[in-house]
Amino acid sequence: MPVIDRPAQDWDPAAYGRFRDLRLRPALDLLARVDALPDGDIVDLGCGSGAVGPALAQRFAGHRLIGLDTSAAMLAEAQATGAYARCEVADAATWQAAAPLALIFSNAALQWLPDHEALLPALALQLAPGGVLAVQMPRQHAAPSHRFLREFAADLYPDRFDFADWTPPVAAAIDYHRILNPLGLLDIWESEYLQRLAPVETGHPVRRFTESTAMRPILEKLSEDEAARFVSRYDEALRAAYPVEADGAVLFPFRRLFLVLSTLQS
């Protein structure tokens, strides 16, 4: 039976942190495109375990940094970094700032939320004049790593998974441009990272990468035996889509979308 990181009720910082460096690099690339900020607090929206907190705090030392996430376990890790003035449990879909913000920074979080056409402008409206909305989201849904998850879940367990009306969680860059361009100066781009995943003792390295994130909603609905059956099929397909290199590692292309919106000065 394959070794599987079963999703707990809360996010598991250790499982998510297994690929910390690969997940942190896009956050730092996003941060590098944020320029000077007006007065106000900075919110790390969906801060997770706070991996980018120290970099945010160092870059904008004159601002108070607040971490928000839905996971209490992740927030405990974030608070322990010492980078945040405070960390709070909050849902990005309904959260409202108490005062206009200098920066809302969100790395690999908003893809979990629907209705970006309403959500992103609502976040932008919480910025101070000259404030910045900086967002990075994985746009990996068409790749085998994520497509297989939907296909195999629907095939093996159609009583629980129906993707007939499924829409991608992250739209095309042109769609976000049309949504946000009227609100300020917009910089939007996509990057594909060629990630080297080290060998693992059991299973396929790509599966070990996805099981703490994209695979979670599927595993949550499966029994132990069902999960083992699903994972065995997934591992087999991944071996064909992402072959093992001579050193035992796997090369895993991963696409991400970035946007930086600078609101207009009053």
Side-chain angles (χ1 to χ4, degrees):
M1 180 174 292
V3 176
I4 308 169
D5 281 341
R6 296 284 293 169
Q9 185 175 7
D10 199 351
W11 282 73
D12 182 353
Y16 186 81
R18 184 180 292 120
F19 301 96
R20 179 185 178 91
D21 290 345
L22 295 178
R23 301 189 197 280
L24 178 59
R25 181 184 170 188
L28 298 179
D29 290 346
L30 177 65
L31 179 58
R33 302 286 276 268
V34 180
D35 293 325
L37 299 177
D39 293 337
D41 291 341
I42 293 174
V43 164
D44 187 359
L45 189 60
C47 65
S49 60
V52 75
L56 280 167
Q58 181 180 18
R59 173 78 180 278
F60 301 112
H63 297 262
R64 187 171 62 160
L65 178 60
I66 300 166
L68 303 179
D69 203 277
T70 58
S71 167
M74 288 288 208
L75 285 171
E77 295 273 334
Q79 191 71 69
T81 68
Y84 297 89
R86 71 175 190 273
C87 291
E88 300 177 359
V89 174
D91 184 347
T94 57
W95 163 78
Q96 291 288 322
L101 299 165
L103 169 65
I104 298 174
F105 189 93
S106 184
N107 180 63
L110 299 187
Q111 73 274 9
W112 295 105
L113 298 177
D115 195 11
H116 288 181
E117 189 171 2
L119 174 64
L120 292 176
L123 292 175
L125 290 174
Q126 301 189 58
L127 297 167
V132 175
L133 173 65
V135 174
Q136 182 274 126
M137 296 179 288
R139 195 161 185 269
Q140 186 72 357
H141 55 266
S145 58
H146 289 51
R147 177 169 51 83
F148 289 161
L149 293 174
R150 301 189 302 272
E151 291 178 356
F152 298 164
D155 183 46
L156 292 172
Y157 308 108
D159 58 318
R160 275 156 287 176
F161 301 99
D162 180 2
F163 295 99
D165 297 323
W166 179 85
T167 57
V170 179
I174 193 169
D175 295 318
Y176 291 106
H177 193 280
R178 288 168 176 156
I179 294 168
L180 292 173
N181 191 57
L183 302 179
L185 301 176
L186 182 61
D187 184 14
I188 185 166
W189 71 99
E190 288 187 82
S191 294
E192 184 172 272
Y193 294 80
L194 185 58
Q195 301 180 152
R196 179 188 179 277
L197 304 185
V200 294
E201 292 184 4
T202 59
H204 192 279
V206 170
R207 191 256 292 182
R208 304 299 285 177
F209 186 93
T210 62
E211 67 187 357
S212 63
T213 53
M215 200 191 299
R216 280 177 56 90
I218 293 172
L219 293 181
E220 287 171 350
K221 297 181 180 180
L222 302 180
S223 69
E224 291 286 344
D225 288 344
E226 289 171 336
R229 181 185 178 201
F230 176 84
V231 165
S232 291
R233 181 170 176 183
Y234 185 50
D235 276 343
E236 182 180 359
L238 290 174
R239 283 191 285 271
Y242 304 100
V244 175
E245 300 296 308
D247 63 355
V250 166
L251 298 179
F252 180 34
F254 200 101
R255 180 163 292 275
R256 297 178 182 272
L257 181 141
F258 300 77
L259 65 89
V260 177
L261 173 71
S262 301
T263 61
L264 300 177
Q265 298 279 358
S266 59

